């Protein structure tokens, strides 16, 4: 009898502990991060329309975000979760041409709409600029690698492939927690700033980020649309 009471007591304590855990809203990812300046496609769509994502004006004012929201709203709610595991540094083998912005259609194809060419909202930058990426969970990095599309690539009509990119920055190791703290409660992590030099570019381009997080073999990817002078 005593043993039965002991088992029942343990069971009640276990149930109470589970009920005491905080509940997360459906579709909300644990904090990881993404590019915020120039913003990644998914972060930018969430930042501009997250509080007004059912507004029909998005269809004409921001048509690429509109098609992305219609395709899968969770891609924007989970703007900080576009990553793959177990890539082991072999990015080109894992991610096919035409699927770079979605990380090879990671998340069961959740981010597929990000691969669509078209008039994504683009941030004006100079040929030398600072790229800002947010490490929401303070993972640190084995490296950030930044690429810019070669002159002649047209983001309005061309699918992005590995042959379209030129490496412009490679940070090497960044320790966990290093960066500028953000007071914005939505971000609430650290922002890493990376100097970029992309000479010879004019007009529309894509900045492609590969962020190899240092805590696990998790690799984050993003496309940021920019406009160079000229």
């Amino acid at each position: 009898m005593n043993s039965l009471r002991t088992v029942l007591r343990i069971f009640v304590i276990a149930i109470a502990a589970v009920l005491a855990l905080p509940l997360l809203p459906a579709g909300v990812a644990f904090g990881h991060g993404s590019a915020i300046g120039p913003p990644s496609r998914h972060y930018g769509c969430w930042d501009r329309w997250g509080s007004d994502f059912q507004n029909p004006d998005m269809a004409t004012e921001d048509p690429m975000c509109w098609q992305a929201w219609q395709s899968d709203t969770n891609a924007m709610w989970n703007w900080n979760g576009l990553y793959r595991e177990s890539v082991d540094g072999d990015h080109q083998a894992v991610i096919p041409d035409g699927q770079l912005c979605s990380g090879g259609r990671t998340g069961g194809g959740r981010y597929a709409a990000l691969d669509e060419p078209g008039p994504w909202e683009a941030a004006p930058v100079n040929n030398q600029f600072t790229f800002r990426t947010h490490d929401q969970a303070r993972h640190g990095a084995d490296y950030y690698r930044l690429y810019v599309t070669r002159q002649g690539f047209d983001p309005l009509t061309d699918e992005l492939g590995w042959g379209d990119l030129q490496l412009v920055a490679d940070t090497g190791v960044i320790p966990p927690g290093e960066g500028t703290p953000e007071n914005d409660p939505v971000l609430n992590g650290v922002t890493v700033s990376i100097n970029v030099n992309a000479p010879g570019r004019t007009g529309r381009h894509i900045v492609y980020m590969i962020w190899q997080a240092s805590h696990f073999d998790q690799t984050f990817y993003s496309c940021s649309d920019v406009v160079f002078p000229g």
Side-chain angles (χ1 to χ4, degrees):
M1 181 64 71
N2 288 337
S3 61
L4 179 59
R5 288 176 178 172
T6 299
V7 170
L8 289 174
R9 185 183 178 198
I10 292 173
F11 178 76
V12 170
I13 292 173
I15 292 297
V18 170
L19 293 176
L21 291 173
L23 296 177
L24 292 174
V28 175
F30 293 102
H32 296 295
S34 187
I36 62 172
S40 64
R41 289 177 173 178
H42 45 302
Y43 175 77
C45 288
W46 176 85
D47 187 47
R48 293 190 296 275
W49 296 100
S51 61
D52 197 20
F53 69 97
Q54 293 179 317
N55 188 337
D57 291 343
M58 191 196 320
T60 54
E61 294 178 10
D62 203 344
M64 299 311 294
C65 280
W66 172 259
Q67 62 89 28
W69 277 102
Q70 304 314 302
S71 175
D72 194 327
T73 59
N74 285 326
M76 272 59 70
W77 296 126
N78 290 276
W79 62 266
N80 55 11
L82 200 168
Y83 67 90
R84 296 188 71 94
E85 295 183 324
S86 303
V87 175
D88 198 27
D90 200 358
H91 309 287
Q92 295 191 37
V94 173
I95 300 178
D97 286 345
Q99 298 183 16
L100 275 66
C101 297
S102 67
R105 306 286 165 88
T106 191
R110 170 186 293 169
Y111 300 98
L114 304 179
D115 291 318
E116 290 294 323
W120 292 91
E121 184 161 320
V125 295
N126 293 317
N127 293 101
Q128 292 182 327
F129 66 96
T130 300
F131 184 90
R132 298 169 59 246
T133 181
H134 192 66
D135 182 353
Q136 191 176 41
R138 303 171 191 259
H139 292 320
D142 290 346
Y143 54 80
Y144 289 92
R145 290 178 185 160
L146 301 181
Y147 301 79
V148 176
T149 47
R150 300 178 185 277
Q151 190 65 17
F153 176 82
D154 187 355
L156 297 177
T157 58
D158 299 342
E159 290 188 341
L160 183 62
W162 291 105
D164 301 314
L165 297 174
Q166 181 178 14
L167 182 68
V168 294
D170 189 340
T171 65
V173 174
I174 294 180
E178 184 172 305
T180 303
E182 297 281 356
N183 295 324
D184 185 335
V186 173
L187 298 176
N188 197 30
V190 293
T191 294
V192 176
S193 297
I194 305 168
N195 293 328
V196 173
N197 183 22
R201 270 77 169 183
T202 60
R204 278 185 169 267
H205 281 271
I206 294 173
V207 182
Y208 189 63
M209 180 189 75
I210 300 176
W211 166 24
Q212 179 61 57
S214 59
H215 65 308
F216 291 117
D217 186 12
Q218 290 182 337
T219 312
F220 294 77
Y221 302 94
S222 73
C223 286
S224 299
D225 293 271
V226 298
V227 179
F228 290 101

